[in-house]
């Protein structure tokens, strides 16, 4: 287990470094000039004296070669210092982390709703004996994955807020303002969870030990919840790593659609302004969430299913029946 933890930790560092490097290079390659944005002039710099522009670029460190800028940014990030925001002059990390609580509320509620509805939908489909009804239930998650969330958000704003006046359309005004964006953000999570769990349940319910449980007189509900469900959640848990990254990214879109203050607004402004330090914080944080959740999921596998152990390559693998015996 110790060697597995070390390997996973080194892999996480590699992912974070690659994410940091790719983001830095992409921002460097974007057209435009952060110094001109800072000065508040047009892209041609005609309203700013060339000497003043050169002085401003020197102050921001933009006059240095690419590898020097990258090296300084990387060394600072390793110390937890991502530099100063070009827009505000505040530390980039503190500017970003001040906005995180509102985003965590949105992502947390969306994850809770997504898993709840996804599990309920899959269990309902698995218990349904009417074929046409089951097929209809299984078709809806595919629609939920395919429909753009920003479009669903705009439709909800139009009807729920403007036409019916049930919930506020924008802002961070308590729980009511959180419901619509969380519901919209939960749709892809619920849809993916329902699809994965149902397929896994379908395979598990045909296993020999399920037939044995039925022959012993276990009711359909007990067979489904006690015997089949636990052995069917592994694919869902595996997908949680990707879901966590999607929720962080989706929160940016939902906060923009619903005009919420959070990391979405901070990130959008930073990209528009070419505020490299703030964008680097945002991307590295999202990557850190992704690798942390995946690492925790790897550790959860043996707890959920004792037949799973850590393989020689540091991945969770099923133990053969003979070995388990």
């Amino acid at each position: 287990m110790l060697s597995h933890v070390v390997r996973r930790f080194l892999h996480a560092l590699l992912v974070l470094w690659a994410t940091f490097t790719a983001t830095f290079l992409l921002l460097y390659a974007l057209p435009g000039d952060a110094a001109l944005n800072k000065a508040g002039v047009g892209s041609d710099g005609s309203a700013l004296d060339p000497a003043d522009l050169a002085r401003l670029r020197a102050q921001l460190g933009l006059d240095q070669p690419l590898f020097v800028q990258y090296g300084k940014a990387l060394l600072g990030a390793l110390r937890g210092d991502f530099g100063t925001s070009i827009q505000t002059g505040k530390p980039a990390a503190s500017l970003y982390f001040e906005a995180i609580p509102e985003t965590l509320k949105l992502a947390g509620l969306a994850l809770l709703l997504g898993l709840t509805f996804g599990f309920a939908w899959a269990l309902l489909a698995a218990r349904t004996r009417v074929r046409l009804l089951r097929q209809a239930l299984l078709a809806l998650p595919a629609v939920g994955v395919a429909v753009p969330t920003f479009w669903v958000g705009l439709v909800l704003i139009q009807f729920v807020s403007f036409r019916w006046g049930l919930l506020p359309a924008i802002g961070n005004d308590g729980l009511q303002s959180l419901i619509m964006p969380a519901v919209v953000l939960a749709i892809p999570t619920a849809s993916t969870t329902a699809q994965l769990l149902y397929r896994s349940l379908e395979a598990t319910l045909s296993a020999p030990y399920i037939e044995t449980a039925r022959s012993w007189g276990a009711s359909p509900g007990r067979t489904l919840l006690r015997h089949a469900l636990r052995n069917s959640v592994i694919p869902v848990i595996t997908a949680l790593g990707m879901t966590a990254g999607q929720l962080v990214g989706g929160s940016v879109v939902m906060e923009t659609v619903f005009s919420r203050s959070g990391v979405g607004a901070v990130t959008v402004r930073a990209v528009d302004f070419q505020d490299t330090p703030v964008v680097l914080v945002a991307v590295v944080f999202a990557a850190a969430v992704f690798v942390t959740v995946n690492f925790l999921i790897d550790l959860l596998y043996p707890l959920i299913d004792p037949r799973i152990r850590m393989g020689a390559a540091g991945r969770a693998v099923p133990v053969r029946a003979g070995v388990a015996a």
Side-chain angles (χ1 to χ4, degrees):
M1 177 61 74
L2 179 60
S3 62
H4 169 70
V5 171
V6 172
R7 279 193 296 268
R8 292 295 294 173
F9 179 73
L10 294 176
H11 179 263
L13 290 181
L14 179 61
V15 170
L16 292 177
W17 169 78
T19 303
F20 180 93
T21 302
T23 304
F24 186 92
L25 294 177
L26 285 173
L27 290 172
Y28 185 86
L30 284 176
D33 192 328
L36 295 177
N37 294 335
K38 176 72 171 178
V41 299
S43 59
D44 58 354
S46 56
L48 188 65
D49 183 85
D52 294 334
L53 177 60
R55 191 178 305 110
L56 181 57
R57 288 179 59 82
Q59 290 175 356
L60 298 175
L62 300 177
D63 60 332
Q64 298 173 339
L66 171 61
F67 70 90
V68 175
Q69 294 184 44
Y70 171 76
K72 288 184 176 180
L74 181 60
L75 290 176
L78 291 175
R79 298 192 302 266
D81 179 12
F82 284 83
T84 302
S85 168
I86 298 175
Q87 304 174 73
T88 64
K90 297 180 179 179
S94 64
L95 181 67
Y96 183 82
F97 286 114
E98 285 173 2
I100 279 183
E102 290 297 329
T103 299
L104 289 182
K105 292 179 187 177
L106 175 58
L109 182 57
L111 180 61
L112 177 62
L113 292 175
L115 292 178
T116 301
F117 285 110
F119 269 75
W121 204 265
L123 292 173
L124 179 62
R127 285 295 306 273
T128 301
R129 293 291 173 259
V130 181
R131 182 178 178 183
L132 290 178
L133 179 57
R134 184 170 65 251
Q135 289 177 343
L137 290 173
L138 295 176
L140 287 178
V143 176
V145 173
V147 174
T149 53
F150 72 88
W151 179 82
V152 178
L154 294 175
V155 171
L156 285 182
I157 290 175
Q158 176 64 32
F159 286 93
V160 177
S161 297
F162 295 158
R163 182 166 298 185
W164 300 329
L166 298 177
L167 294 170
I170 60 174
N172 294 53
D173 241 352
L175 180 61
Q176 285 191 331
S177 65
L178 195 62
I179 293 176
M180 280 202 299
V183 168
V184 176
L185 192 58
I187 290 175
T189 300
S191 301
T192 303
T193 300
Q195 288 178 320
L196 290 174
L197 183 58
Y198 176 79
R199 297 305 176 193
S200 185
L201 282 171
E202 192 177 34
T204 303
L205 288 172
S206 62
Y209 75 90
I210 295 295
E211 295 299 329
T212 302
R214 288 169 177 162
S215 67
W216 287 350
S219 64
R222 180 182 177 86
T223 301
L224 179 65
L225 297 177
R226 184 175 180 85
H227 298 287
L229 182 60
R230 180 176 180 179
N231 293 325
S232 302
V233 297
I234 294 296
V236 177
I237 293 175
T238 302
L240 277 181
M242 186 66 67
T243 300
Q246 290 174 344
L247 285 175
V248 174
S251 297
V252 175
V253 178
M254 285 302 101
E255 287 173 351
T256 303
V257 172
F258 290 91
S259 298
R260 291 180 56 85
S261 61
V263 298
V266 173
T267 304
V268 169
R269 287 196 300 267
V271 172
D272 289 341
F273 205 87
Q274 290 186 291
D275 196 345
T276 300
V278 178
V279 177
L280 286 175
V281 175
V283 175
V284 170
F285 175 77
V289 170
F290 178 81
V291 297
T292 301
V293 172
N294 277 278
F295 175 71
L296 295 177
I297 287 172
D298 269 358
L299 298 182
L300 280 176
Y301 282 143
L303 300 178
I304 296 170
D305 191 343
R307 296 171 300 173
I308 295 177
R309 62 177 175 80
M310 295 301 171
R315 292 185 294 271
V317 296
V319 178
R320 296 191 304 274
V323 177

